[in-house]
Amino acid sequence: MPSRESYSLRKGEKSLVHKAKQEGKEQEMLAAALGMRMGPQKPPATLWQPLKLFAYSQLTSLVRRATLKENDRVPKYEKVHNFKVHTFRGPHWCEYCANFMWGLIAQGVKCADCGLNVHKQCSKMVPNDCKPDLKHVKKVYSCDLTTLVKAHNSKRPMVVDMCIREIESRGLKSEGLYRVSGFSDLIEDVKLSFDRDGEKADISVNVYEDINIITGALKLYFRDLPIPVITYDAYPRFIEAATEQSLTCLFVSLELTETDERLEALHEALKLLPPAHYETLRYLMAHLKRVTQNEKDNLMNAENLGIVFGPTLMRAPDLDAMTALNDIRYQRQVVESLIKNEDILF
């Protein structure tokens, strides 16, 4: 006959085994909810899929908010989200507020550049912290300048860097540089090459012997930008800088006073440009300054380059035809001043 001690021992062992089984079931449930596998388990049932998505959205929201706090400490230049109305398949949660996105169609909005999914109401509160993903940025030309730069994690668009390097390596002494147009079909071919191959595009002399094709492709890139290098917001300040005149010229010549005031006004206007636009403009003006240093060969001075690049880098925002036409001479003066005083203004 078993003793009381052995009976108590067996009872305690059964209790421990039951407790271990219970803990194992709880771990299996948690693993299934998070989409994890423990040992030779079956794939998680579809019943847990909504719970899995909810847990993921909660974690994403926490990470996003932590990132926003970090961005407050380390300022980086901003990129506005490109939100568009979107219909989501299956259950989705807002990546900003972590709440469920109700409805069958058009439940929220999705950023076309980085893929962020949020409620339409939440999109108004999301900071300008878009980090474009290359899988969403499909082209180079006609792409927002800041979007392209952030997607490729570079200072400037690769089109600008590659074209300017090619031009300076073999074309600075070419007569009529930037004024003479290249063959339009070949310029379009360069555009398609950048859109298709990106940084791997071949624009060497072996493929495009005429340097005017490369200059034409660079000018086309600037013309195709949805927001010009000199942005619509900064445009009025640059035009004002071009028309600035001195009211006091007691002990200084009128021409010198006008130049000083214009440079100060241009310097203030440059501060309004987004960092990617500013860096691109700075790099381009330094290049055009080197072009003018070869004026004896290429016959292109700052005034000529201002005529070419004025309407290319600046576009009047929603102005009538007569006002836009009148602004052309001021656009030329702005670019001319930027080239001549590149070392002072940038």
Side-chain angles (χ1 to χ4, degrees), residues 150-258:
K150 295 198 75 173
H152 289 270
N153 193 27
S154 59
K155 286 185 177 182
R156 297 172 298 273
M158 87 278 289
V159 178
V160 177
D161 280 352
M162 292 175 64
C163 287
I164 287 180
R165 280 200 302 267
E166 191 67 25
I167 293 165
E168 294 196 351
S169 68
R170 59 184 174 100
L172 284 179
K173 297 183 183 297
S174 177
E175 184 176 335
L177 189 66
Y178 286 112
R179 178 177 55 81
V180 177
S181 299
F183 192 48
S184 59
D185 286 352
L186 291 178
I187 291 174
E188 190 67 23
D189 187 50
V190 174
K191 171 185 174 180
L192 294 176
S193 179
F194 274 115
D195 283 339
R196 182 182 63 249
D197 303 325
E199 296 176 350
K200 296 181 180 179
D202 187 0
I203 58 172
S204 65
V205 66
N206 297 327
V207 183
Y208 303 104
E209 185 177 354
D210 185 4
I211 196 63
N212 297 312
I213 296 170
I214 309 302
T215 59
L218 181 60
K219 290 187 292 182
L220 179 62
Y221 172 75
F222 289 129
R223 286 198 302 270
D224 280 357
L225 285 174
I227 300 176
V229 175
I230 294 179
T231 61
Y232 295 123
D233 292 337
Y235 181 88
R237 293 292 296 273
F238 279 93
I239 296 298
E240 288 174 12
T243 57
E244 190 74 41
Q245 290 187 357
S246 173
L247 296 178
T248 56
C249 54
L250 293 176
F251 301 103
V252 188
S253 68
L254 179 61
E255 183 180 355
L256 181 61
T257 307
E258 284 181 345

Side-chain angles (χ1 to χ4, degrees), residues 97-111:
C97 68
N99 290 324
F100 187 72
M101 301 172 77
W102 296 95
L104 298 177
I105 60 172
Q107 303 99 320
V109 294
K110 181 175 184 175
C111 179

Side-chain angles (χ1 to χ4, degrees), residues 172-173 286-298 300-302 305 339 342:
L172 284 179
K173 297 183 183 297
H287 162 65
L288 295 181
K289 185 70 171 288
R290 290 188 288 273
V291 172
T292 62
Q293 291 170 355
N294 291 271
E295 181 186 350
K296 290 183 179 180
D297 297 302
N298 58 40
M300 295 298 290
N301 56 25
L305 291 170
I339 295 172
E342 171 267 334

